[in-house]
Amino acid sequence: KHGGPWSQAGFANLEPELPNILATIQWCWKNQLIRLGANILEDISDFMVIRGYWDDVMILAQQGIELAVEAAEKFDVARLQTHTSWIYRHRGNLDAAEESIKQALSVFEQLDEERYIAQAKRQWGRIAHERSEFDQAERLLNEALAFYQSTGDEHQMCFVTTNLTDLALKQGNLDTAWTLSDKALVTARKLDDPERIASLLFILGSVEHQRGNLEQAMAFLEESVTCMERASRLDGTAGALFALAEVKIDAGQAQAGRQMLLDALETYRRLGVESRVQEIEQILDRWQAQAVDPETRSKRP
């Protein structure tokens, strides 16, 4: 009731019950009730991902995969692999992420599970994006989008469109990223989806930053942080803070930017996103060195 997609308003009801929910899934594994345990984990996966319970998701999913493999429950193996693939990707282990989602997609295609096929293609598209395999990323994301368009699922259409705008940004297609984001933002606001609103504002802010429009970039990214906080999306909030910190530094607001970097660093450490931890630590180390050396103190870290 409270844990599915687009249900952030109900997440407050899940938080105090989380120990009981996790214990219930463990009970399912212990009693070989694999389908039931996988169903429960799937129902609360959005809550656990958004609120930062990544280790719990990974542990439970891996335990379930081992049991489902032994029981030859291919569908449940594949569903659980989508959870591990997501966390692998966000933690920078792209090889493991791709291997998991390719295996899952193969099963979904064998079983003709169209909704899961689209979900897996979106995830694989995001992995290809991270690898800078832009043609494959665009193909997979557009295939997922076509399915959601056929079902009229506005939430998922907006979700995948946001991924496509992010892809355009990474390719340096600033005009395309801006146009797609500006249009999708209208839909996201209509759906009152704070996470999608925040992601699109992040892209608009990043475009403006690259164009040198620092004041406008700050405005977009400050609203992005606010919306991510409203959605309680921890990694998203950290990402928006990181981007805003870079704009603040470029705009001469160094101390404000430094505090945002520290806040982002704390979250990334908690979530185990080592690539981001190292990146921010390097920036702060350069900052410290410049603070000691008066010749470089005024330069951007």
Side-chain angles (χ1 to χ4, degrees):
K1 180 178 179 181
H2 295 297
W6 334 118
S7 301
Q8 283 94 333
F11 285 177
N13 296 295
L14 291 177
E15 197 80 50
E17 291 296 332
L18 184 59
N20 295 328
I21 296 169
L22 300 184
T24 299
I25 297 172
Q26 291 281 10
W27 179 87
C28 290
W29 296 160
K30 182 178 179 180
N31 289 277
Q32 296 293 314
L33 299 172
I34 299 168
R35 180 62 48 87
L36 179 57
N39 286 346
I40 297 170
L41 184 55
E42 182 173 340
D43 284 343
I44 65 164
S45 63
D46 285 324
F47 161 73
M48 294 183 72
V49 161
I50 287 171
R51 292 295 175 89
Y53 298 108
W54 295 6
D55 287 341
D56 290 305
V57 173
M58 183 64 80
I59 291 168
L60 288 169
Q62 288 176 329
Q63 289 173 343
I65 287 169
E66 291 177 9
L67 293 169
V69 167
E70 291 177 4
E73 296 286 357
K74 294 197 300 183
F75 178 57
D76 293 318
V77 171
R79 286 197 298 164
L80 292 166
Q81 284 176 319
T82 65
H83 302 317
T84 60
S85 175
W86 189 97
I87 294 173
Y88 282 137
R89 176 173 69 84
H90 278 268
R91 286 179 167 169
N93 190 345
L94 299 183
D95 289 341
E98 184 171 355
E99 183 63 24
S100 293
I101 206 62
K102 285 170 66 176
Q103 291 177 11
L105 177 59
S106 176
V107 171
F108 295 145
E109 289 176 335
Q110 291 171 26
L111 300 175
D112 199 26
E113 290 282 353
E114 289 188 320
R115 181 170 69 88
Y116 289 96
I117 290 171
Q119 181 187 41
K121 285 183 175 180
R122 191 193 76 80
Q123 283 210 48
W124 192 1
R126 296 292 285 161
I127 295 165
H129 172 163
E130 295 291 335
R131 291 189 184 281
S132 297
E133 297 170 350
F134 299 131
D135 289 343
Q136 174 157 294
E138 188 170 1
R139 176 182 62 80
L140 289 163
L141 290 172
N142 276 316
E143 287 176 3
L145 179 61
F147 170 74
Y148 295 125
Q149 288 171 333
S150 73
T151 63
D153 190 330
E154 280 194 296
H155 271 109
Q156 290 287 5
M157 288 161 59
C158 188
F159 201 176
V160 181
T161 299
T162 303
N163 297 152
L164 287 165
T165 66
D166 195 20
L167 181 62
L169 177 65
K170 185 165 184 180
Q171 292 177 278
N173 299 330
L174 300 187
D175 290 342
T176 300
W178 175 274
T179 301
L180 287 173
S181 297
D182 193 45
K183 183 178 179 181
L185 186 58
V186 175
T187 302
R189 291 194 190 279
K190 183 186 75 172
L191 296 171
D192 192 28
D193 183 344
E195 187 181 344
R196 227 55 52 210
I197 293 169
S199 296
L200 292 162
L201 288 166
F202 176 93
I203 293 165
L204 292 172
S206 298
V207 169
E208 290 300 280
H209 188 196
Q210 291 189 41
R211 287 174 171 169
N213 301 326
L214 300 185
E215 186 174 342
Q216 186 62 62
M218 273 193 278
F220 282 131
L221 290 168
E222 284 168 352
E223 188 180 355
S224 178
V225 171
T226 298
C227 289
M228 277 298 184
E229 288 175 341
R230 178 185 160 204
S232 298
R233 177 70 186 254
L234 297 184
D235 61 318
T237 300
L241 282 170
F242 192 177
L244 181 57
E246 292 187 306
V247 178
K248 294 274 189 184
I249 292 166
D250 282 350
Q253 301 177 29
Q255 289 306 315
R258 181 177 183 275
Q259 184 56 55
M260 290 175 181
L261 288 175
L262 290 170
D263 292 342
L265 178 62
E266 182 181 354
T267 298
Y268 284 132
R269 280 176 173 159
R270 171 185 165 183
L271 297 175
V273 186
E274 289 302 319
S275 60
R276 285 297 200 182
V277 169
Q278 292 173 10
E279 187 176 359
I280 294 175
E281 285 180 339
Q282 288 171 1
I283 292 172
L284 292 170
D285 286 345
R286 290 197 298 271
W287 187 300
Q288 183 63 33
Q290 289 162 6
V292 172
D293 183 357
E295 294 295 324
T296 60
R297 187 175 298 169
S298 62
K299 297 179 183 178
R300 176 184 171 182

